[in-house]
Structure formats: structure tokens, C-alpha cells
């Protein structure tokens, strides 16, 4: 990809400055893709991981999408293979979870649902999946007590890994519901691994009153989205950007109010679309779908949520009021008990639409 196209993906600086001041909500962020580069270098030094140089720029191409780099699912996922090698201990997991909370708070994110794949976190240490969930819960609980951000957790599993691993993840999620775990998620390769294979696990999670969000319609078509919603009962879909390929599925999502967790920059970096101007986010909105805007993996895409929102405004003709509306959609879609969600919605209403403002567009999305 040319440097000209890469440059065109950047946000307008003046827009970015405005967006940074907004209180924000992130519903789709992976812990494994939200590690600081500098932290990876520290981990490598401390644990004597062999590297040509203990330098950020030396490591960057292995864990982050670079200008001119081939953009595909395989290349995008290869970054995670490298990152997994750094998850060596409880101390490492605790640190990256804590720093992910701090980074969100510093970007003026007031509410975040942070998802993580426990089996990825313990791949090197061979610890138990349940231990990884406990470590993340402990670190997030401590960090949120110090910083102005509310964080809930989503336990994820991969389609291309075994049902046994998924069962352990669901067990751990249920066991930690009193520690901030609010949902379960299915991620990974969609091709050849339909969500329906995990139906019994997700129904058990729902019986325990966990929420369900599923990655679908990212690298496979609209049928994958229907599989997630129809077979696993997902009320939110991670990405879902290929729903436009099937009018029937699109209609069902609109009628049922299923929320899409859209991550535009990630969709470009993983090769689904060529540029931000090609991204279907505006059309998804025009079709009446409930859409939220998210980062997916801040490390791999080298972005913050402020960057993502500013890019949408710069390249998709979204206005500041559009961003506020989608933030309110996110507030209403938060995986919280009804009373806590009502408080979140009320807080964001006050922050985004203060009493002296004549803007009433909040009321257009409050009940959608």
C-alpha cells in the first residue's frame, strides 16, 4: 500500500484534538492487542527473551501493522503469535491488564469492556485458564480503583481451538461474574469453524446470565452473522461489517436491535477493505443498524479510540454529533445490569448533552 494511502488514513489533527476531550465508551478491545510496545521490551529484557536489539523500533514490525505491509487475515493474526510469546507469568499478565486500564483512562474513556482470551495468556506459562481470569480481574479491579474509568470484562475463546478449552473459559467466566466478568465471546478464524459448534457452551453461559457477543461477518459473510445471532443468541456482534451481503440477515439484525461493534481501522489492516473511504460504516448506519465504533487492537493498529473516532470524522464525513449519537448507542448496549446501565446512560447524556445545550439528538437513540 502506498505511503499516500497510509497518510490519507490519518485523522485531521484539529478534529483529533476535539475528540480527545470527549468522554468515550469502548465495547470492543482485546487485552492481547492492547499492550504497550515499551512494556514488551521490558518483559523481553527482564526474562532474557532473545532479540536482535531491545529496542521499540526493532520489535514494532513484528507486533504492529506497518506502512506498505501486506494486509490480510493471516498477516494480521501473525502479530498475535508474536505477542503471545511475551505472556510469561502472572506478573506480566497483571501488568498488561493494569496498563490497558490506565491507557483507556488517559484517552478519556469512561466505560470499557475489555475482552481477553485466557488460553492465549497462559500459553507460555501453562497456568490454568481460571488463573488467568483471576489475574486479569485482580489487576483491573486495582487499576479502576485508582483511575476514572469503569471496566468490565469479556472472556473470549477461539473458534479454531477445542471445545474443551472453550468449556474451561466458560467455567472461569461464570466463576468470576462477581469480579466484573459480564460476557463471553467467540473469536478466531470463521472459515470452517461455525459458531454453532459452540452452541451448548454459549447456552450454558446465557443460563448463568452472562451476555453473549460473537465475532462474525469479519472474514466470512453474512451467514456467519446469522450463525452467531440465530444459534448462539448473540445480542452484539464483533465487526459484522459483511452483513450488507444479505438483506435478510440485515433486516433481522435491524428488527432485533443487534448491536455491531465496528472497528474500521482494524478492518483495513486485516485486509477486509482497502481504505477507510471504502469501509461500509456509513451504509450500515443508513440501513438503520445499531452501530458502535471501537479500536479492536490498539497496539497492532497503533491507535487510540480518539484516533479511531477522528478518522471516522475525517474520512467518512461523520460529524461530532454523529460521534455523540454512536457513543449513546454504546452506552445503551453496555453489558450491565439494567440499573447500572441506566446510570451510565444518564451520565453520558449529561456529559455529551449538558443542560445548556439545545441538542436533543440524544433522545433519538436513547431507546434504540
Amino acid at each position: 500500500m502506498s505511503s499516500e494511502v497510509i497518510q490519507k488514513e490519518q485523522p485531521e489533527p484539529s478534529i483529533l484534538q476535539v475528540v480527545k476531550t470527549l468522554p468515550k465508551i469502548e465495547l470492543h478491545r482485546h487485552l492481547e492487542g492492547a499492550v504497550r510496545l515499551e512494556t514488551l521490551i521490558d518483559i523481553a529484557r527482564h526474562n532474557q527473551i532473545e532479540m536482535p536489539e531491545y529496542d521499540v523500533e526493532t520489535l514494532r514490525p513484528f507486533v504492529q501493522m506497518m506502512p506498505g505491509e501486506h494486509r490480510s487475515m493471516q498477516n494480521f493474526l501473525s502479530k498475535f503469535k508474536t505477542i503471545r510469546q511475551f505472556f510469561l507469568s502472572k506478573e506480566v499478565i497483571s501488568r498488561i491488564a493494569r496498563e490497558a486500564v490506565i491507557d483507556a483512562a488517559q484517552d478519556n474513556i469512561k466505560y470499557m469492556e475489555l475482552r481477553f482470551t485466557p488460553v492465549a495468556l497462559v500459553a507460555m506459562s501453562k497456568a490454568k485458564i481460571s488463573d488467568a481470569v483471576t489475574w486479569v480481574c485482580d489487576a483491573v479491579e486495582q487499576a479502576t480503583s485508582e483511575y476514572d474509568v469503569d471496566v468490565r470484562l469479556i472472556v473470549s475463546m477461539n473458534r479454531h481451538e477445542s471445545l474443551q478449552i472453550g468449556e474451561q473459559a466458560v467455567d472461569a467466566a461464570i466463576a468470576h461474574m462477581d469480579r466484573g466478568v459480564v460476557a463471553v465471546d467467540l473469536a478466531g478464524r470463521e472459515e470452517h469453524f461455525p459458531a454453532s459448534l459452540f452452541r451448548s457452551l454459549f447456552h450454558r453461559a446465557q443460563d448463568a446470565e452472562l451476555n453473549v457477543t460473537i465475532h462474525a461477518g469479519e472474514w466470512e459473510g453474512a451467514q456467519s452473522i446469522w450463525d452467531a445471532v440465530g444459534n448462539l443468541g448473540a445480542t452484539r456482534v464483533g465487526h459484522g461489517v459483511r452483513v450488507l451481503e444479505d438483506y435478510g440477515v440485515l433486516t433481522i439484525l435491524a428488527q432485533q436491535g443487534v448491536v455491531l461493534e465496528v472497528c474500521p481501522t482494524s478492518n483495513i489492516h486485516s485486509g477486509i477493505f482497502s481504505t477507510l473511504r471504502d469501509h461500509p460504516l456509513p451504509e450500515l448506519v443508513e440501513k438503520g443498524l445499531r452501530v458502535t465504533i471501537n479500536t479492536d487492537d490498539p497496539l497492532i493498529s497503533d491507535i487510540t479510540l480518539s484516533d479511531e473516532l477522528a478518522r471516522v470524522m475525517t474520512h467518512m464525513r461523520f460529524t461530532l454529533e454523529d460521534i455523540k449519537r454512536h457513543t449513546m448507542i454504546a452506552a445503551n448496549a453496555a453489558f450491565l445490569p439494567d440499573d447500572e446501565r441506566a446510570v451510565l446512560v444518564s451520565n453520558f447524556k449529561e456529559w455529551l448533552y449538558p443542560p445548556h445545550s439545545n441538542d436533543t439528538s440524544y433522545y433519538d437513540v436513547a431507546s434504540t
Side-chain angles (χ1 to χ4, degrees), residues 77-94:
L77 292 179
S78 73
K79 309 298 181 179
F80 287 101
K81 292 182 181 179
T82 301
I83 296 169
R84 274 191 182 202
Q85 298 176 42
F86 291 81
F87 301 147
L88 296 171
S89 65
K90 172 185 177 180
E91 290 72 27
V92 169
I93 306 309
S94 299

Side-chain angles (χ1 to χ4, degrees), residues 92-361:
V92 169
I93 306 309
S94 299
R95 176 178 177 179
I96 65 171
R98 174 179 171 80
E99 290 178 349
V101 172
I102 295 171
D103 290 345
Q106 291 177 341
D107 193 32
N108 208 21
I109 293 173
K110 298 298 185 183
Y111 178 81
M112 176 170 69
E113 292 177 3
L114 183 65
R115 64 190 68 198
F116 63 102
T117 308
V119 71
L121 297 181
V122 299
M124 299 300 293
S125 69
K126 306 303 180 184
K128 295 178 181 178
I129 283 176
S130 58
D131 288 339
V133 179
T134 299
W135 299 341
V136 172
C137 288
D138 288 346
V140 168
E141 187 176 278
Q142 180 181 10
T144 54
S145 70
E146 301 173 27
Y147 292 86
D148 185 21
V149 56
D150 184 2
V151 178
R152 306 302 167 99
L153 299 168
I154 299 174
V155 173
S156 187
M157 63 205 80
N158 286 318
R159 298 165 177 264
H160 54 273
E161 294 175 329
S162 72
L163 284 172
Q164 182 181 12
I165 291 173
E167 184 176 9
Q168 293 176 46
V170 170
D171 288 343
I174 292 172
H176 290 79
M177 289 176 65
D178 62 341
R179 302 291 311 280
V181 174
V182 295
V184 286
D185 172 36
L186 187 65
R189 300 175 184 272
E190 292 176 72
E191 186 180 12
H192 305 309
F193 298 97
S196 54
L197 294 174
F198 292 79
R199 182 183 328 196
S200 62
L201 294 183
F202 279 79
H203 286 181
R204 185 156 67 84
Q206 288 173 309
D207 288 343
E209 298 187 355
L210 280 167
N211 296 283
V212 172
T213 175
I214 305 290
H215 282 68
E218 182 181 11
W219 294 308
E220 283 285 292
Q223 180 57 42
S224 175
I225 300 171
W226 169 242
D227 192 24
V229 175
N231 288 317
L232 268 65
T235 58
R236 288 184 1 208
V237 172
H239 301 285
V241 289
R242 293 181 61 180
V243 68
L244 295 171
E245 296 174 9
D246 190 309
Y247 180 76
V249 176
L250 187 153
T251 301
I252 291 171
L253 262 58
Q255 290 175 344
Q256 294 186 5
V258 174
V259 174
L260 300 185
E261 306 158 354
V262 178
C263 310
T265 297
S266 175
N267 295 157
I268 307 307
H269 285 168
S270 62
I272 304 173
F273 307 105
S274 298
T275 69
L276 286 171
R277 294 189 186 279
D278 299 321
H279 196 281
L281 176 59
E283 188 174 357
L284 295 172
V285 175
E286 290 172 7
K287 297 295 185 182
L289 297 175
R290 298 180 67 196
V291 173
T292 64
I293 303 169
N294 308 274
T295 61
D296 205 11
D297 303 290
L299 166 62
I300 294 175
S301 291
D302 191 22
I303 55 171
T304 64
L305 183 55
S306 290
D307 292 329
E308 189 75 288
L309 297 177
R311 289 181 184 194
V312 167
M313 291 179 65
T314 301
H315 302 293
M316 299 182 186
R317 299 183 183 274
F318 277 51
T319 67
L320 187 60
E321 295 310 313
D322 291 328
I323 297 301
K324 291 180 181 181
R325 286 172 57 83
H326 288 287
T327 300
M328 292 308 308
I329 290 173
N332 280 279
F335 285 149
L336 290 171
D338 291 345
D339 57 340
E340 294 183 42
R341 190 186 310 108
V343 171
L344 181 71
V345 169
S346 177
N347 286 340
F348 268 88
K349 175 188 173 183
E350 292 180 10
W351 292 332
L352 298 178
Y353 305 98
H356 62 270
S357 171
N358 292 323
D359 192 334
T360 59
S361 58

Side-chain angles (χ1 to χ4, degrees), residues 2-30:
S2 71
S3 59
E4 179 183 2
V5 171
I6 296 292
Q7 184 62 36
K8 285 182 178 179
E9 290 177 1
Q10 301 306 312
E12 172 64 39
S14 60
I15 294 176
L16 179 59
Q17 287 303 115
V18 172
V19 171
K20 283 181 176 180
T21 67
L22 285 180
K24 289 174 279 288
I25 294 177
E26 171 87 88
L27 295 184
H28 192 115
R29 178 176 296 196
H30 292 265

Side-chain angles (χ1 to χ4, degrees), residues 41 44 49-55 57-59 62 86:
I41 296 297
I49 297 175
E50 187 174 345
M51 292 178 59
E53 293 180 81
Y54 293 104
D55 176 76
E57 296 308 318
T58 300
L59 179 60
F62 296 95
F86 291 81

